[in-house]
Amino acid sequence: MQQPAAGLVKGRLSLRVRRLRASLVRDVWAERTGRLTSEDPGGRRFRRLGRGVSIGFPVASLYGEPWMEIGDDTLVGSHVSLSAGLLPGLDLGPDPVLRIGARCLIGRGSHVVAHESVTIGDDVFIAPYAYITDQNHGYTDPDLPIGVQPPLNRPVVIGDGCWIGAGTVVLPGTRLGRNVAVAAGSIVRGEFPGHCLIGGAPARVLRSYGATGGWSRVTPQVTTRENSMSLADPARTPDMINIMIVGDSISHGSSGDWTWRYRFWKHLREHEVSLDLVGPKNTLDNIRTAEEGDGDLTYADPEFDPDHDAQWGRPYLSEKDEIEAKVREHRPDYLLVLLGINDLFWYGVEPPVFEANLREFIANSRRARPDLRFVLGTLLQCQKAVDEADFGARVAATNDRIRAVAKDLDSPSSPVVVAETAAEFVAAEHTWDGTHPNARGELRIAAAFADALASRFAVGAPYPRPYPDVPPVAPEAKASID
């Protein structure tokens, strides 16, 4: 009775061994024959598939190859998604959407999902099960399910030599400098300098490298409301961004104003953005006197960082020749610009000349800092534009020029975007004299710039609507004392 039983067990083991061997042979064959390289016919679908590239089999998802560039000797693991565009078969235009550099490694089960622009530098190692995308759903409409709201695209840039830990999520708008190490399981959003270690949810700088002091631990920034509302000379942190507001009287403000600069700064600080407003001035203009440049500091609330580069009467016409020196001196990461009404009103500049001046302004700024980011405000409605159809048409044509220049000069290394400051601004309701913003107007200007920074650069968050009720400026703040 023992012999048949032993023979049956032996037969079962033999069957299992044969099945295991067949499975291994099948898997190895599938991996070797399914792997995609630059030498395979499938590699020709890509915009560029470099020498020595290998994409493992099976892939989780692969489409939009004509808008993908992958550099030499990059290895992509199995079960990885690489996609450009929302769906297969879409025409995404003339430029690549997904760029992966040379000698990169993308670990098993990771996903790189590009809709507008994802750029991964050379020698980047991405551990298994990472997720990188430049698109998220909007959530501004409370009546629509989030999944069907219009998406928001924000370019992603991962610098040369970075390490992305297992299970990391890289969100739209992220920009990592060179040789950034990201701890496993982090959620990354925002901009980080090179040569640092970041981690957490959301990610923060944990260690940074100094040329003289080597690696050092970074003390977490205090973000309580009490300490976040301090002030004009904030302590530097590695993730701090410099913003310079360039403008005329609308941004400069006058006696008794909060200014839109205040409301913008307050909004970003409430969303834990580490920022320093920079520029050559910190004053208002006291319109109660006949003096110019009187250094007035009578803000309605002085408890904010008031540095700026705004001056009553300023046009692009003159500022284009001065901006390069200011950018060199104050080193902004972002220029927020609200200029133009003086060009049209006082200097009679027509839209074609305005466009030329704007282009020169951007070119001169970039000479001082090639990677500068621009947010250009549109010209606000003023009462003159309402009362005089010809002037209103010039304002509208000028705003069209601003949008066209931004689209033309926008680039991954030096983005140019538009803040639609005019969209919610009505002269009769949002100015105190037909031109200059009252408290409600200040909110709307601040909101437009905050929305642009959040949607394109993942800095802060969109400004909440409906707008809060805010008190007006006291009439005596504007009354003449001459």
Side-chain angles (χ1 to χ4, degrees), residues 395-416:
V395 169
T398 299
N399 282 338
D400 288 340
R401 298 272 180 165
I402 291 172
R403 298 181 188 103
V405 168
K407 183 177 181 180
D408 186 38
L409 298 185
D410 187 28
S411 73
S413 61
S414 178
V416 184

Side-chain angles (χ1 to χ4, degrees), residues 4-18:
L8 180 61
V9 170
K10 182 177 179 180
R12 287 176 176 172
L13 287 175
S14 177
L15 178 60
R16 290 177 181 174
V17 169
R18 290 197 304 272

Side-chain angles (χ1 to χ4, degrees), residues 242-247 260 264 278-279 309 316 319 323-324 326-328 330-339 361-366 368-369 371-377 415-417 419 449 453 457:
N242 291 347
I243 296 176
M244 188 159 77
I245 293 172
V246 182
W260 75 260
F264 169 80
V278 299
D309 176 33
Y316 272 112
E319 187 63 8
I323 191 63
E324 180 178 354
K326 294 174 182 177
V327 171
R328 289 190 190 280
H330 298 284
R331 303 302 301 163
D333 302 298
Y334 296 83
L335 278 191
L336 274 55
V337 190
L338 187 55
L339 287 171
F361 173 90
I362 293 172
N364 292 345
S365 302
R366 283 173 168 169
R369 181 158 188 179
D371 63 346
L372 190 59
R373 301 165 185 86
F374 298 82
V375 184
L376 307 178
V416 184
V417 300
F449 279 106
L453 283 177
F457 303 107

Side-chain angles (χ1 to χ4, degrees), residues 168-243:
T168 291
V169 177
V170 177
L171 294 173
T174 295
R175 297 176 68 94
L176 302 183
R178 186 172 180 269
N179 280 22
V180 175
V182 182
S186 297
I187 298 177
V188 184
R189 180 180 183 183
E191 303 192 18
F192 295 88
H195 303 286
C196 66
L197 166 66
I198 66 176
R204 295 278 190 267
V205 177
L206 305 177
R207 290 180 181 271
S208 63
Y209 184 82
T212 56
W215 288 96
S216 60
R217 189 180 299 276
V218 175
T219 302
Q221 185 185 8
V222 176
T223 57
T224 64
R225 179 173 176 80
E226 177 181 85
N227 289 325
S228 72
M229 295 299 289
S230 73
L231 302 165
D233 191 19
R236 301 300 303 181
T237 60
D239 60 337
M240 181 171 282
I241 59 175
N242 291 347
I243 296 176

Side-chain angles (χ1 to χ4, degrees), residues 245-258:
I245 293 172
V246 182
D248 51 30
S249 55
I250 291 168
S251 302
H252 192 173
S254 57
S255 39
D257 289 342
W258 282 270

